[in-house]
Coordinates of all heavy atoms in Angstrom, one line a residue:
F26 N 0.8 -1.2 0.0 CA 0.0 0.0 0.0 C 0.9 1.3 0.0 O 0.7 2.2 -0.8 CB -0.9 0.0 1.2 CG -1.9 1.1 1.3 CD1 -3.0 1.2 0.5 CD2 -1.7 2.0 2.3 CE1 -3.9 2.2 0.6 CE2 -2.7 3.1 2.5 CZ -3.7 3.2 1.6
C27 N 1.9 1.3 0.9 CA 2.8 2.4 1.0 C 3.6 2.6 -0.3 O 3.7 3.7 -0.8 CB 3.8 2.2 2.1 SG 3.1 2.3 3.8
E28 N 4.1 1.5 -0.9 CA 4.9 1.6 -2.1 C 4.1 2.2 -3.2 O 4.5 3.0 -4.0 CB 5.5 0.2 -2.5 CG 6.5 -0.3 -1.5 CD 7.8 0.4 -1.5 OE1 8.1 1.2 -2.4 OE2 8.6 0.3 -0.5
S29 N 2.8 1.7 -3.3 CA 2.0 2.1 -4.4 C 1.6 3.6 -4.3 O 1.7 4.4 -5.2 CB 0.7 1.3 -4.4 OG -0.1 1.6 -5.5
I30 N 1.3 4.1 -3.1 CA 1.0 5.5 -2.9 C 2.3 6.3 -3.1 O 2.3 7.4 -3.8 CB 0.5 5.8 -1.4 CG1 -0.9 5.3 -1.4 CG2 0.6 7.3 -1.1 CD1 -1.6 5.4 0.0
G31 N 3.4 5.8 -2.6 CA 4.7 6.5 -2.8 C 5.1 6.7 -4.3 O 5.5 7.7 -4.7
N32 N 4.9 5.6 -5.1 CA 5.2 5.6 -6.5 C 4.3 6.6 -7.2 O 4.7 7.4 -8.0 CB 5.0 4.3 -7.1 CG 6.1 3.3 -6.7 OD1 7.2 3.8 -6.3 ND2 5.9 2.0 -6.8
Q33 N 3.0 6.6 -6.9 CA 2.0 7.5 -7.6 C 2.2 8.9 -7.2 O 2.1 9.8 -8.1 CB 0.6 7.1 -7.2 CG 0.1 5.7 -7.6 CD -0.1 5.6 -9.1 OE1 -0.6 6.5 -9.7 NE2 0.4 4.6 -9.7
L34 N 2.6 9.2 -6.0 CA 2.7 10.6 -5.5 C 4.2 11.1 -5.5 O 4.5 12.2 -5.1 CB 2.1 10.8 -4.1 CG 0.6 10.5 -4.1 CD1 0.1 10.6 -2.7 CD2 -0.2 11.3 -5.0
Q35 N 5.1 10.2 -5.9 CA 6.5 10.5 -5.9 C 7.0 10.9 -4.5 O 7.7 11.9 -4.4 CB 6.9 11.5 -7.0 CG 6.5 11.0 -8.3 CD 6.8 11.9 -9.5 OE1 7.1 13.1 -9.2 NE2 6.7 11.5 -10.7
I36 N 6.7 10.1 -3.5 CA 7.2 10.3 -2.1 C 7.9 9.0 -1.7 O 7.3 7.9 -1.8 CB 6.0 10.6 -1.2 CG1 5.2 11.7 -1.6 CG2 6.5 10.8 0.3 CD1 3.8 11.9 -0.8
P37 N 9.2 9.1 -1.3 CA 9.9 7.9 -0.9 C 9.3 7.2 0.4 O 8.8 7.9 1.2 CB 11.3 8.4 -0.6 CG 11.2 9.9 -0.4 CD 10.0 10.3 -1.1
V38 N 9.5 5.9 0.4 CA 9.1 5.1 1.6 C 10.3 4.8 2.4 O 11.3 4.4 1.8 CB 8.4 3.8 1.1 CG1 8.0 2.9 2.3 CG2 7.1 4.1 0.3
N39 N 10.3 5.1 3.7 CA 11.4 4.8 4.6 C 11.0 3.8 5.6 O 10.1 4.0 6.4 CB 11.8 6.1 5.3 CG 13.0 5.9 6.2 OD1 13.3 4.9 6.6 ND2 13.7 7.0 6.4
K40 N 11.6 2.6 5.5 CA 11.3 1.5 6.4 C 12.4 1.3 7.5 O 12.3 0.3 8.2 CB 11.2 0.2 5.6 CG 10.1 0.1 4.6 CD 10.2 -1.2 3.8 CE 9.3 -1.1 2.6 NZ 9.4 -2.3 1.8
N41 N 13.3 2.3 7.6 CA 14.4 2.2 8.6 C 14.3 3.1 9.8 O 15.0 2.9 10.7 CB 15.7 2.4 7.8 CG 15.9 1.4 6.7 OD1 15.6 0.2 6.9 ND2 16.3 1.9 5.5
V42 N 13.6 4.2 9.7 CA 13.6 5.2 10.8 C 12.8 4.8 12.0 O 13.1 5.0 13.1 CB 13.2 6.6 10.2 CG1 11.7 6.7 9.9 CG2 13.6 7.7 11.2
L43 N 11.7 4.1 11.8 CA 10.8 3.6 12.9 C 11.0 2.1 13.1 O 10.9 1.4 12.1 CB 9.3 3.9 12.5 CG 8.3 3.6 13.6 CD1 8.5 4.4 14.9 CD2 6.9 3.9 13.0
L44 N 11.2 1.7 14.3 CA 11.5 0.3 14.6 C 10.5 -0.2 15.7 O 10.2 0.5 16.6 CB 12.9 0.2 15.2 CG 14.1 0.9 14.5 CD1 15.3 0.9 15.3 CD2 14.3 0.2 13.1
R45 N 10.2 -1.5 15.5 CA 9.4 -2.2 16.5 C 10.5 -3.0 17.3 O 11.1 -3.8 16.7 CB 8.4 -3.1 15.9 CG 7.4 -3.7 17.0 CD 6.4 -4.6 16.4 NE 5.4 -3.9 15.6 CZ 4.1 -3.7 16.0 NH1 3.7 -4.2 17.1 NH2 3.3 -3.1 15.2
T46 N 10.6 -2.7 18.6 CA 11.7 -3.3 19.4 C 11.2 -4.5 20.2 O 12.1 -5.2 20.7 CB 12.3 -2.2 20.3 OG1 11.2 -1.7 21.2 CG2 12.9 -1.1 19.6
Q47 N 9.9 -4.7 20.4 CA 9.4 -5.8 21.1 C 8.4 -6.6 20.3 O 7.6 -6.0 19.6 CB 8.8 -5.4 22.4 CG 9.8 -4.8 23.4 CD 9.1 -4.4 24.7 OE1 8.0 -4.7 25.0 NE2 9.8 -3.6 25.5
Y48 N 8.4 -7.9 20.5 CA 7.4 -8.7 19.8 C 6.2 -8.8 20.7 O 6.3 -9.0 21.9 CB 8.0 -10.1 19.6 CG 7.1 -11.1 19.0 CD1 6.9 -11.1 17.6 CD2 6.3 -12.0 19.7 CE1 6.1 -12.0 17.0 CE2 5.5 -12.9 19.1 CZ 5.3 -12.9 17.8 OH 4.5 -13.8 17.2
N49 N 5.0 -8.7 20.1 CA 3.8 -8.9 20.8 C 2.8 -9.6 20.0 O 2.8 -9.4 18.7 CB 3.2 -7.6 21.5 CG 2.8 -6.6 20.4 OD1 3.5 -6.4 19.4 ND2 1.7 -6.0 20.6
K50 N 1.8 -10.3 20.6 CA 0.8 -11.0 19.8 C -0.2 -10.0 19.3 O -0.2 -8.8 19.7 CB 0.1 -12.0 20.7 CG 1.1 -13.1 21.1 CD 0.4 -14.2 21.8 CE 1.5 -15.2 22.3 NZ 1.4 -16.5 22.0
T51 N -1.1 -10.4 18.5 CA -2.1 -9.6 17.9 C -2.9 -8.7 19.0 O -3.1 -9.2 20.1 CB -3.1 -10.4 17.0 OG1 -4.0 -9.5 16.4 CG2 -3.9 -11.3 17.9
Q52 N -3.3 -7.5 18.6 CA -4.0 -6.7 19.5 C -5.5 -6.5 19.1 O -6.2 -5.7 19.7 CB -3.3 -5.3 19.5 CG -1.9 -5.3 20.0 CD -1.4 -3.9 20.2 OE1 -1.9 -3.1 20.9 NE2 -0.4 -3.5 19.4
T53 N -5.9 -7.3 18.1 CA -7.2 -7.0 17.5 C -8.4 -7.2 18.6 O -9.4 -6.6 18.4 CB -7.5 -8.0 16.3 OG1 -7.3 -9.3 16.8 CG2 -6.6 -7.7 15.2
K54 N -8.2 -7.9 19.6 CA -9.2 -8.2 20.6 C -9.1 -7.3 21.9 O -9.8 -7.5 22.8 CB -9.3 -9.6 21.0 CG -9.5 -10.6 19.8 CD -10.8 -11.2 19.7 CE -10.9 -12.2 18.7 NZ -11.3 -11.8 17.4
K55 N -8.1 -6.4 21.9 CA -7.8 -5.7 23.1 C -8.4 -4.3 23.0 O -8.5 -3.7 22.0 CB -6.3 -5.5 23.3 CG -5.6 -6.9 23.6 CD -4.1 -6.7 23.7 CE -3.4 -8.0 24.1 NZ -3.4 -9.0 23.1
N56 N -8.8 -3.7 24.2 CA -9.3 -2.4 24.3 C -8.2 -1.4 24.3 O -7.0 -1.7 24.3 CB -10.2 -2.2 25.5 CG -9.5 -2.3 26.8 OD1 -8.2 -2.1 26.9 ND2 -10.2 -2.7 27.9
R57 N -8.5 -0.1 24.3 CA -7.5 1.0 24.2 C -6.5 0.9 25.3 O -5.3 1.0 25.1 CB -8.2 2.4 24.1 CG -7.2 3.5 24.0 CD -7.9 4.8 23.8 NE -6.9 5.9 23.6 CZ -6.3 6.1 22.5 NH1 -6.6 5.5 21.4 NH2 -5.4 7.1 22.4
E58 N -6.9 0.7 26.5 CA -6.0 0.7 27.7 C -5.0 -0.4 27.6 O -3.8 -0.3 27.8 CB -6.8 0.6 29.0 CG -5.9 0.8 30.2 CD -6.8 0.8 31.5 OE1 -7.9 1.2 31.5 OE2 -6.2 0.3 32.5
A59 N -5.5 -1.6 27.2 CA -4.7 -2.8 27.1 C -3.7 -2.6 26.0 O -2.5 -2.9 26.1 CB -5.5 -4.0 26.9
R60 N -4.1 -2.0 24.9 CA -3.2 -1.7 23.7 C -2.2 -0.7 24.1 O -1.0 -0.9 23.7 CB -4.0 -1.2 22.5 CG -4.8 -2.3 21.8 CD -5.6 -1.6 20.7 NE -6.5 -2.6 20.1 CZ -6.6 -2.8 18.8 NH1 -6.0 -2.0 18.0 NH2 -7.5 -3.7 18.3
Q61 N -2.5 0.3 24.8 CA -1.5 1.3 25.2 C -0.5 0.7 26.1 O 0.7 1.0 25.9 CB -2.2 2.5 25.9 CG -2.9 3.4 24.9 CD -3.5 4.7 25.6 OE1 -4.0 4.6 26.7 NE2 -3.3 5.8 25.0
Q62 N -0.9 -0.1 27.0 CA 0.1 -0.7 27.9 C 1.1 -1.6 27.1 O 2.3 -1.6 27.4 CB -0.6 -1.6 29.0 CG -1.3 -0.7 30.0 CD -2.1 -1.6 31.0 OE1 -2.2 -2.8 30.9 NE2 -2.6 -0.9 32.0
L63 N 0.6 -2.3 26.1 CA 1.4 -3.1 25.3 C 2.3 -2.4 24.4 O 3.5 -2.8 24.1 CB 0.6 -4.1 24.4 CG 0.1 -5.3 25.1 CD1 -0.8 -6.1 24.2 CD2 1.3 -6.2 25.5
T64 N 1.9 -1.2 23.9 CA 2.6 -0.5 22.8 C 3.5 0.6 23.4 O 4.4 1.1 22.6 CB 1.7 0.1 21.8 OG1 0.8 1.0 22.5 CG2 0.9 -0.9 21.0
R65 N 3.5 0.9 24.6 CA 4.2 2.0 25.2 C 5.7 2.0 24.8 O 6.2 3.0 24.4 CB 4.1 2.1 26.7 CG 2.9 2.8 27.1 CD 2.9 3.4 28.4 NE 1.6 3.5 29.0 CZ 0.7 4.3 28.5 NH1 0.9 5.1 27.6 NH2 -0.5 4.4 29.0
A66 N 6.4 0.9 25.0 CA 7.8 0.8 24.8 C 8.2 0.0 23.6 O 9.4 -0.4 23.6 CB 8.5 0.4 26.1
I67 N 7.3 -0.3 22.7 CA 7.7 -1.3 21.7 C 8.2 -0.6 20.4 O 8.6 -1.3 19.4 CB 6.7 -2.3 21.4 CG1 5.4 -1.8 20.8 CG2 6.4 -3.2 22.6 CD1 4.4 -2.8 20.4
F68 N 8.1 0.7 20.3 CA 8.5 1.4 19.1 C 9.6 2.4 19.5 O 9.5 3.1 20.5 CB 7.3 2.2 18.4 CG 6.3 1.3 17.9 CD1 5.1 1.0 18.6 CD2 6.5 0.7 16.6 CE1 4.2 0.2 18.0 CE2 5.5 -0.2 16.1 CZ 4.4 -0.4 16.8
D69 N 10.6 2.6 18.6 CA 11.6 3.6 18.8 C 12.0 4.1 17.4 O 11.6 3.5 16.4 CB 12.8 2.9 19.5 CG 13.7 4.0 20.2 OD1 13.4 5.2 20.1 OD2 14.7 3.6 20.8
V70 N 12.9 5.1 17.4 CA 13.4 5.6 16.1 C 14.9 5.5 16.0 O 15.6 5.5 17.0 CB 13.0 7.1 15.9 CG1 11.5 7.3 15.6 CG2 13.3 8.0 17.2

């Protein structure tokens, strides 16, 4: 999806600046509070 939008609008895609530092299972069944607790420290730049 990103590559297609980037190609069409001539905007580069950067997959290196944002990192997921921790593994976690799917969040599809969790509420906002549970998701926030899981995601607080799992992304870095």
